[in-house]
Amino acid sequence: MSDSVPSVLETGSGKEPIGRDETTALFAALSSFKRLAVAVSGGADSVALLCLLVEWKEAVGWPGDFRALTVDHGLRLESRAEAAFVGDVCHRLGVAHQTLLWEGEKPVANVQAEARNARYRLFAAAMDQHDLEAVLLAHHQGDQVETFLDRLTRGSGVYGLAAMKLDDPHGPSGLRVLRPLLQTPKSRLTATLRAHGQSWCEDPSNENESFKRVRLRRLAEALAAEGLDTARLAETARRMGRAADALDQWVGELFLTRVQEHPAGPARMAREDYLCVPEEVRLRLLTRLLQKVGRHTGPQGVPLRLSKLEGLDQAIRGLSRTGDGLRQTLNGCSIHIDQQWLVIGAEMGRVPAETVCLDDVEHVVWDNRYIWTRGGARMDFLSDVADRAGDIGSGLKLGPLGEAPGRVSAKDADWAIHGAFDRSPAIWLGDRLLLVPGLSVEGLSVEEAEAETVLRAGYLSAI
């Protein structure tokens, strides 16, 4: 290993190392997986995770496999040597290892946040390449406390203060993120490495107080001196998470029983049903609606600003009885509110959804919301539709309804609020509109069940 990398093997008592029985309990939930990624930077936390994971696999005979991923951000001179250090550790432990390079121009501002986003994008690409189901991160109790304090400074509510999850199916870049060490103090991880005789690397930025997380760590130390220690703060975050889970269950039941989802994308809920539940539930319900309808903007699970959700909720509640309704936009969605309905559709936006020629396409994901698949009964039915529309020839296209020729039938007026369907998927040939899922096209008779055989609406797995 290069001498430029600070390799640390400290002495001293510290906390107790993590024993085999405890390791088995920490990683028990991993037994259902077959292939996992583990993020290893070379720091004490991730190297401890790696060592414990290898120990657990051998102890319980887990038949699965995992691959260590290291990101070389290229932001420090030591990063290449640190990645090589991780490679050496993995080789000794018999673990497959891959170094991922963050290439291209680097940011000059907000460096840590941009590096984090790049890291998860690189993880996502490598996991897709190797068919890995989830990524294990070495976040520990101290990291949880820093996240809690950071959210507290931003005025977060229940969901923000719940901080990080042990198992987050909608993590950054849409990844499933597992954090088995989240309730473990950092001191026990370093004690474990000492017990294994395993060194690690120190990142100087972890002591740089120009970064907010470092300042929050210092704040946590000051709070501990006043009796509000890391364990108590982490327990508060855990209890917030428990409250968030209860709210999510309530919201899930409301979504199933009170929300109507249209095959073409929009969703609606009776305003009366919306107003009869508590504010915290309404805000979470809005979040879920906006994330699902607006999933063309990115993976579901990206937090929405609480103040904007509160403003939208206030607008829905404050609509006067004599008002004509109102329209707002948020998270790539167009929100239409009147006395009867709250209707949310995908907004056309500054960058409309792509229009795709389907003549030679076998399979395509469109707008991060729909899947087109060629072949079999689907193409047979489409040919029948085309025959009824007239012999137009090649040039079958899939794109947003707002840019398609033709019109949907007036009998769909119950749903067709202006703008709610503009970004809905449409199929056309030449100047003839052939299909919009769940809507009737003027001049054709296309039933919803038939439409689903041509264009299959899909809630996409994160990529």
Side-chain angles (χ1 to χ4, degrees), residues 104-186:
E105 188 175 350
K106 303 299 190 296
V108 295
N110 204 21
V111 176
Q112 282 202 332
E114 292 298 327
R116 176 182 180 273
N117 293 337
R119 183 161 60 249
Y120 284 111
R121 287 197 301 270
L122 290 167
F123 286 161
M127 290 170 64
D128 185 57
Q129 176 187 0
H130 297 287
D131 194 26
L132 304 175
E133 301 165 79
V135 58
L136 279 79
L137 302 183
H139 290 136
H140 53 72
Q141 189 181 77
D143 295 319
Q144 181 76 310
V145 167
E146 289 168 22
T147 301
F148 176 85
L149 292 174
D150 181 44
R151 304 277 177 82
L152 196 61
T153 66
R154 301 173 190 270
S156 295
V158 170
Y159 287 91
L161 296 180
M164 296 181 286
K165 297 180 178 180
L166 283 165
D167 182 350
D168 187 354
H170 301 295
S173 293
L175 298 176
R176 183 170 183 178
V177 174
L178 307 175
R179 301 180 176 94
L181 304 178
L182 195 57
Q183 297 172 1
T184 305
K186 180 183 178 69

Side-chain angles (χ1 to χ4, degrees), residues 164-314:
M164 296 181 286
K165 297 180 178 180
L166 283 165
D167 182 350
D168 187 354
H170 301 295
S173 293
L175 298 176
R176 183 170 183 178
V177 174
L178 307 175
R179 301 180 176 94
L181 304 178
L182 195 57
Q183 297 172 1
T184 305
K186 180 183 178 69
S187 57
R188 297 203 63 199
L189 300 179
T190 53
T192 300
L193 290 177
R194 295 188 197 104
H196 282 73
Q198 175 62 60
S199 59
W200 66 90
C201 302
E202 290 286 5
D203 181 353
S205 68
N206 288 334
E207 302 300 322
N208 186 347
E209 293 195 2
S210 64
F211 296 120
K212 185 178 182 181
R213 275 197 171 272
V214 178
R215 298 194 300 273
L216 290 172
R217 194 177 311 135
R218 302 286 186 265
L219 174 60
E221 293 168 359
L223 291 172
E226 297 297 329
L228 187 56
D229 61 17
T230 297
R232 289 190 179 186
L233 287 170
E235 181 65 10
T236 299
R238 189 188 69 80
R239 288 169 176 163
M240 286 291 186
R242 187 172 62 197
D245 288 343
L247 289 170
D248 274 339
Q249 182 175 345
W250 190 347
V251 169
E253 292 171 356
L254 283 172
F255 207 97
L256 287 173
T257 59
R258 294 291 184 265
V259 173
Q260 300 173 24
E261 295 183 83
H262 195 281
R268 70 178 180 179
M269 182 178 187
R271 182 167 171 266
E272 181 180 359
D273 289 339
Y274 176 84
L275 295 176
C276 74
V277 296
E279 181 180 6
E280 193 67 40
V281 177
R282 295 198 305 268
L283 294 174
R284 190 58 180 174
L285 184 61
L286 281 178
T287 298
R288 187 169 297 192
L289 282 164
L290 291 166
Q291 287 176 338
K292 189 163 190 181
V293 175
R295 60 191 183 277
H296 58 285
T297 62
Q300 189 173 356
V302 177
L304 303 181
R305 193 179 295 275
L306 182 58
S307 59
K308 291 186 177 294
L309 291 169
E310 290 171 335
L312 177 57
D313 176 69
Q314 183 176 1

Side-chain angles (χ1 to χ4, degrees), residues 334-369:
S334 176
I335 303 118
H336 308 262
I337 310 154
D338 61 23
Q339 295 297 329
Q340 186 177 6
W341 294 106
L342 163 64
V343 181
I344 299 179
E347 184 185 21
M348 280 291 278
R350 297 186 183 90
V351 183
E354 182 182 9
T355 295
V356 181
C357 182
L358 300 175
D359 287 346
D360 300 312
V361 173
E362 297 295 328
H363 177 91
V364 66
V365 174
W366 182 80
D367 205 31
N368 203 34
R369 299 185 295 146

Side-chain angles (χ1 to χ4, degrees), residues 49-81:
L49 173 62
L50 177 66
C51 291
L52 290 169
L53 191 58
V54 171
E55 183 179 288
W56 168 77
K57 179 180 180 179
E58 293 174 352
V60 303
W62 180 56
D65 198 12
F66 57 88
R67 170 177 289 264
L69 303 177
T70 302
V71 175
D72 179 358
H73 298 89
L75 297 174
R76 296 182 294 109
L77 294 175
E78 302 87 355
S79 61
R80 179 177 297 181

